[in-house]
């Protein structure tokens, strides 16, 4: 299942809490990465390759990737990318593809996924969710800093308030689920299916896209 976590800013101790709160999603290991601008974390459930080869966050050149999901056509994409791969993981395929093609590579993916990919050179952070919405990605701002995770529970462990969102509660009461970006917690939203956000962490700029 795996889980991904991140904060804009150097917040290693908070990421530790977020990883621990999502332990049930990735019992095969966990990892974290940070610099002065971004902190990323990951809970690992290893399926395709060994636990050692599957450890994340994954570093490829100046990209740092934390990823949850499965790319069904990753073998075909391996061939297309014409790269000397060192593992049998779809994680490495995703990292190499993003480096070579940017967000356009996401259109080539057949699978279910949510991921965060940070470019240490451009200072851009990509957040993406598959077009079917199979894998969740929740986010919110606390003390002016973006936090995101596969688990609302992890965001709560980072200090988000346990306050009911009245608008979301009305939606849930009327239709039995929360549509769009809403969650039952005030201040916590979710990426909608197919949403891609590209955030420049230095300029505090955010651009949103959608994949089909």
């Amino acid at each position: 299942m795996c889980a991904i976590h991140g904060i804009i800013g150097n917040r290693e101790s908070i990421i530790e809490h977020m990883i621990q709160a999502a332990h049930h999603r990735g019992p095969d290991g966990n990892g974290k990465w940070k610099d002065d601008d971004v902190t990323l974390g990951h809970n690992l459930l290893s399926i395709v390759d060994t636990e050692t080869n599957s450890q994340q966050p994954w570093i490829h050149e100046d990209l740092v990737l934390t990823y949850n999901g499965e790319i069904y056509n990753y073998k075909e994409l391996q061939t297309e990318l014409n790269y000397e791969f060192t593992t049998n993981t779809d994680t490495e395929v995703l990292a190499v593809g993003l480096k070579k093609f940017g967000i356009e590579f996401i259109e080539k993916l057949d699978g279910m996924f949510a991921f965060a990919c940070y470019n240490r050179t451009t200072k851009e952070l990509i957040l993406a969710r598959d077009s079917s919405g199979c894998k969740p990605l929740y986010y919110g701002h606390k003390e002016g800093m973006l936090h995101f995770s596969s688990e609302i529970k992890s965001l709560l462990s980072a200090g988000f308030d346990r306050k009911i969102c009245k608008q979301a509660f009305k939606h849930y009461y009327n239709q039995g689920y929360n549509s769009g970006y809403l969650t039952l917690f005030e201040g916590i939203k979710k990426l909608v299916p197919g949403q891609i956000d590209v955030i420049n962490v230095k300029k505090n700029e955010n651009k949103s896209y959608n994949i089909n």
Side-chain angles (χ1 to χ4, degrees):
M1 192 185 316
C2 296
I4 68 172
H5 319 281
I7 305 171
I8 291 183
N10 186 338
R11 294 294 186 274
E12 184 175 2
S13 61
I14 298 177
I15 282 288
E16 287 280 6
H17 291 303
M18 295 171 74
I19 290 171
Q20 291 171 15
H23 174 74
H24 57 285
R25 295 181 65 99
D28 293 330
N30 60 70
K32 58 184 181 295
W33 178 93
K34 67 178 176 65
D35 67 5
D36 290 338
D37 301 309
V38 172
T39 309
L40 299 175
H42 187 263
N43 296 86
L44 174 66
L45 177 64
S46 180
I47 296 176
V48 176
D49 208 330
T50 65
E51 295 173 16
T52 301
N53 285 345
S54 302
Q55 285 294 323
Q56 296 186 46
W58 186 276
I59 298 176
H60 173 66
E61 297 183 10
D62 56 354
L63 299 187
V64 186
L65 172 69
T66 182
Y67 154 68
N68 169 34
E70 183 178 359
I71 298 171
Y72 307 134
N73 62 334
Y74 83 98
K75 286 289 189 182
E76 292 88 342
L77 294 173
Q78 273 184 335
T79 303
E80 285 185 33
L81 289 167
N82 190 29
Y83 177 82
E84 193 68 33
F85 289 91
T86 60
T87 70
N88 186 37
T89 62
D90 52 358
T91 305
E92 186 177 17
V93 171
L94 178 57
V96 172
L98 288 170
K99 177 61 182 176
K100 188 170 184 178
F101 295 108
I103 63 172
E104 288 78 11
F105 184 69
I106 302 173
E107 296 278 2
K108 297 176 178 286
L109 304 179
D110 176 15
M112 52 182 182
F113 56 84
F115 69 81
C117 185
Y118 177 56
N119 188 313
R120 291 175 288 177
T121 301
T122 65
K123 304 298 181 182
E124 287 187 332
L125 175 69
I126 300 171
L127 301 180
R129 187 182 180 197
D130 67 86
S131 57
S132 297
C134 294
K135 296 297 182 181
L137 187 53
Y138 303 99
Y139 68 93
H141 290 80
K142 187 175 183 296
E143 298 175 352
M145 293 180 293
L146 174 69
H147 294 56
F148 59 87
S149 178
S150 300
E151 285 267 343
I152 288 180
K153 185 177 180 181
S154 291
L155 292 176
L156 295 175
S157 76
F160 280 77
D161 293 333
R162 296 174 180 267
K163 183 179 179 182
I164 293 294
C165 173
K166 293 180 180 179
Q167 181 185 9
F169 184 78
K170 289 178 181 178
H171 278 243
Y172 189 85
Y173 181 81
N174 289 325
Q175 59 193 26
Y177 65 95
N178 287 130
S179 58
Y181 61 84
L182 293 173
T183 77
L184 284 172
F185 291 88
E186 188 75 44
I188 299 178
K189 299 178 181 179
K190 61 180 182 287
L191 261 64
V192 300
Q195 182 176 345
I196 304 169
D197 278 7
V198 181
I199 303 152
N200 188 303
V201 303
K202 283 295 191 184
K203 298 178 180 179
N204 196 27
E205 296 176 347
N206 186 359
K207 296 180 181 179
S208 286
Y209 307 87
N210 274 91
I211 52 177
N212 297 320

